[in-house]
């Protein structure tokens, strides 16, 4: 009886460990990006200015009265503008940085699901998002204030939903939003749609 009672906590501890293990990539993303802080690219300030002009009622323009589309990320600009309307236009750069962290965490979760489906093993399922999270180039882009984190998440989500989960509605919405976030996401979406058609 003694051996049996001792084995129960170990099983519970093991199941809790396996439950918490997928959170490791998320913790790494938050730790690395939050401690590095923002390092905005020059192009990010173009998007910030568009978002600020929308938030302050000047319209979707860079210069007031000059309706020229000069941002490559319409959806991200509108999201930042909405945040600027709610919390004030000075908060737009900080919002861009925090959104990058949030969407990078979501990307790590999607990569975990993709790797687990591909390898059917928790070890590579953890290693894939951890390796992605630690990539130096990704880290430099993450703090740049650009739309990269959002478009990466949306493209991967569209693949996971369309190809693995066969959820046409969610996958199509994610694919459409990725193209609205950055039109050249179509380069990544087209092969996904082709693979779906072939299968």
């Amino acid at each position: 009886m003694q051996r049996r009672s001792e084995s129960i906590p170990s099983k519970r501890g093991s199941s809790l460990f396996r439950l918490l293990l997928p959170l490791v990539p998320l913790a790494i993303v938050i730790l690395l990006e939050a401690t590095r802080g923002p390092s905005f690219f020059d192009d990010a300030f173009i998007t910030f200015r568009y978002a600020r002009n929308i938030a302050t009622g000047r319209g979707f323009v860079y210069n007031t009265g000059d309706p020229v589309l000069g941002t490559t990320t319409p959806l991200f600009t509108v999201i930042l503008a909405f945040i600027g309307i709610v919390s004030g236009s000075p908060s737009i750069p900080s919002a861009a940085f925090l959104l990058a962290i949030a969407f990078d965490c979501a990307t790590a979760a999607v990569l975990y699901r993709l790797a687990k489906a591909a390898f059917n093993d928790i070890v590579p399922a953890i290693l894939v998002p951890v390796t992605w999270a630690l990539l130096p180039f990704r880290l430099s882009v993450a703090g740049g204030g650009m739309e990269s984190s959002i478009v990466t998440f949306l493209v991967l989500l569209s693949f996971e939903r369309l190809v693995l989960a066969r959820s046409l509605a969610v996958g199509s919405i994610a694919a459409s939003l990725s193209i609205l976030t950055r039109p050249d996401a179509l380069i990544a979406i087209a092969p996904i749609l082709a693979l779906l058609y072939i299968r």
Side-chain angles (χ1 to χ4, degrees):
M1 291 296 291
Q2 184 68 26
R3 288 182 183 175
R4 192 175 180 183
S5 64
E6 285 175 358
S7 68
I8 294 172
S10 66
K11 286 182 180 177
R12 286 180 182 168
S14 175
S15 62
L16 179 63
F17 177 74
R18 291 179 73 85
L19 187 67
L20 295 177
L21 199 56
L23 299 178
V24 170
L26 307 185
I28 290 173
V29 168
I30 293 170
L31 178 66
L32 291 178
E33 294 186 21
T35 53
R36 284 172 63 97
S39 181
F40 297 130
F41 299 144
D42 292 343
D43 286 0
F45 291 98
I46 297 172
T47 302
F48 296 163
R49 181 162 169 170
Y50 270 93
R52 186 183 69 230
N53 284 340
I54 296 170
T56 54
R58 296 187 182 96
F60 204 136
V61 294
Y62 185 80
N63 295 314
T64 305
D66 189 12
V68 175
L69 181 61
T71 177
T72 57
T73 177
L75 181 60
F76 186 48
T77 304
V78 170
I79 292 170
L80 291 177
F82 176 76
I83 293 171
I85 290 169
V86 172
S87 58
S89 60
S91 67
I92 288 172
S94 298
F97 176 66
L98 294 175
L99 282 172
I101 295 176
F103 278 98
D104 285 340
C105 285
T107 297
V110 174
L111 283 171
Y112 170 80
R113 290 203 303 267
L114 289 170
K116 194 170 184 186
F119 299 103
N120 197 27
D121 188 343
I122 197 166
V123 174
I126 296 298
L127 288 177
V128 168
V130 165
T131 301
W132 169 82
L134 293 172
L135 290 173
F137 178 74
R138 186 203 70 79
L139 283 169
S140 66
V141 171
M146 302 290 285
E147 70 283 353
S148 305
S149 297
I150 296 179
V151 76
T152 300
F153 165 72
L154 290 171
V155 168
L156 285 172
L157 180 65
S158 66
F159 176 80
E160 192 268 339
R161 292 286 92 188
L162 287 171
V163 177
L164 296 182
R166 291 288 181 159
S167 176
L168 189 61
V170 176
S172 299
I173 291 170
S176 301
L177 292 176
S178 71
I179 294 168
L180 284 174
T181 306
R182 191 169 176 90
D184 57 5
L186 184 60
I187 297 169
I189 295 298
I192 296 171
L193 297 177
L195 180 61
L196 186 66
Y197 179 76
I198 292 167
R199 291 183 63 182

